[in-house]
Amino acid sequence: MILRRLGLRPGNGRRGIAWRSAAALGLSASLMHASGAPAQSRGDLVRIAASGSAVSLNAELVRPAGPGRFPAVILMHGCGGWQPAVLHALRQLARELRDQGHVVLNLDSFGPRGLDGGVVCESFERLREAREFRTQDAFDALAHLQGLDFVDPARVFLIGQSNGGSVALKAAEAGASRRYGRGGPGFRGVVAYYPWCDALGTSRPALEAPLVIFGGARDDWVPPDGCRRFRASGAALEVRIYPRAAHSFDLLAPEHRYLGKLVGYDREATEDSRRRILDFFRTAIREG
């Protein structure tokens, strides 16, 4: 068991959550150090007011050189928040997207709410609540980007991992921009990495934004079977399942068990999905 290999002992209640969170954080940090992976640029720290709350969200903003107007992308983490391996992967993706001409906003929904460190992962109720308030976060971040003079307000995309991927599904759903938005254009396209597909509550979702879903056939946390059954209307849907990939396959960590579920890196799935993201964005921009 990972906790014991790290010299930690799991427990119950708050103390148990603290031990498990420390283990996950320590594992992620040690994996990055051992891999020799370079530190990623943090970008500019910005604050975004969360609708209906006193919370101000954290975000890191990176942008290409020049005056714009550029297409933009919002990145949303999974249920563990900005844990080191997650933040490293998101910063790497942000850099790649920036180099392809996109403004990127890497959004932290959990840190300002005191929910980082994996506590949301351990509760179905907290996961459900997070999907709701984070969908609003996504549209608050969209409005923030649409107000920047170097961003094209009609070409903003969303990418979410895990719980953030479930948020991405909800953000692509028909009516989402009316429910959560502020009157501007909705998302030009949405990408969901290993989401919980039952978050939509139907196998025949109506979409207002084109949607791409990436999953792993070996994912035993949120198996992709529900995604395979989707038959969407209103906008294009693509579902790609990688046969050797588990959950969190785009994080630079060897396969291991986290909260009893298989997670870990798959190079082929990561590299292929990132190529497909760029193709998806180019097509959406061209057709828009």
Side-chain angles (χ1 to χ4, degrees):
M1 182 178 177
I2 284 174
L3 297 180
R4 300 198 184 281
R5 290 204 301 270
L6 288 167
L8 298 172
R9 296 181 179 179
N12 297 318
R14 292 179 180 270
R15 187 171 183 178
I17 291 172
W19 277 118
R20 288 189 289 274
S21 300
L25 289 166
L27 175 68
S28 301
S30 64
L31 288 169
M32 288 191 296
H33 178 74
S35 72
Q40 304 299 315
S41 172
R42 294 175 179 270
D44 296 326
L45 182 64
V46 299
R47 305 282 284 178
I48 299 170
S51 294
S53 169
V55 170
S56 290
L57 307 174
N58 298 324
E60 295 177 349
L61 181 72
V62 297
R63 57 171 294 188
R69 297 186 168 222
F70 301 105
V73 186
I74 297 165
L75 304 181
M76 298 194 76
H77 58 73
C79 66
W82 270 4
Q83 293 178 343
V86 174
L87 190 52
H88 177 270
L90 291 173
R91 285 175 175 167
Q92 182 184 53
L93 178 56
R95 183 182 63 180
E96 293 173 5
L97 291 168
R98 179 205 61 196
D99 291 347
Q100 293 295 322
H102 298 79
V103 173
V104 184
L105 187 76
N106 183 12
L107 186 66
D108 175 17
S109 292
F110 287 172
R113 293 182 168 102
L115 295 173
D116 52 3
V119 296
V120 173
C121 302
E122 302 193 5
S123 165
F124 289 116
E125 181 62 22
R126 280 184 166 173
L127 287 166
R128 183 195 63 77
E129 291 172 351
R131 286 193 299 272
E132 186 64 26
F133 69 68
R134 296 187 73 203
T135 304
Q136 184 62 63
D137 290 352
F139 279 90
D140 289 342
L142 171 64
H144 177 84
L145 285 173
Q146 289 173 333
L148 300 177
D149 59 9
F150 52 85
V151 169
D152 183 337
R155 296 188 296 167
V156 181
F157 298 85
L158 175 65
I159 301 175
Q161 299 172 321
S162 194
N163 182 258
S166 302
V167 169
L169 299 185
K170 291 174 65 64
E173 195 174 15
S177 59
R178 292 194 307 273
R179 180 177 180 183
Y180 300 99
R182 302 183 187 177
F187 288 103
R188 186 67 193 87
V190 173
V191 177
Y193 271 88
Y194 36 88
W196 182 54
C197 292
D198 287 347
L200 291 181
T202 177
S203 63
R204 296 184 176 274
L207 303 177
E208 68 177 29
L211 172 64
V212 176
I213 299 171
F214 297 121
R218 298 171 62 224
D219 191 331
D220 59 358
W221 199 333
V222 283
D225 297 345
C227 302
R228 289 190 177 104
R229 291 193 293 268
F230 277 164
R231 298 294 182 270
S233 61
L237 168 69
E238 178 184 355
V239 179
R240 181 157 294 270
I241 309 300
Y242 296 99
R244 290 185 293 275
H247 199 74
S248 299
F249 64 73
D250 57 334
L251 304 189
L252 191 61
E255 284 192 355
H256 63 280
R257 293 280 170 181
Y258 176 64
L259 298 178
K261 306 301 183 182
L262 186 65
V263 300
Y265 183 65
D266 185 278
R267 180 187 296 274
E268 180 181 354
T270 300
E271 294 179 353
D272 182 76
S273 64
R274 289 186 177 179
R275 285 192 297 269
R276 290 178 184 278
I277 285 172
L278 291 174
D279 289 343
F280 173 55
F281 287 176
R282 293 187 192 105
T283 300
I285 290 170
R286 184 172 61 249
E287 293 179 351

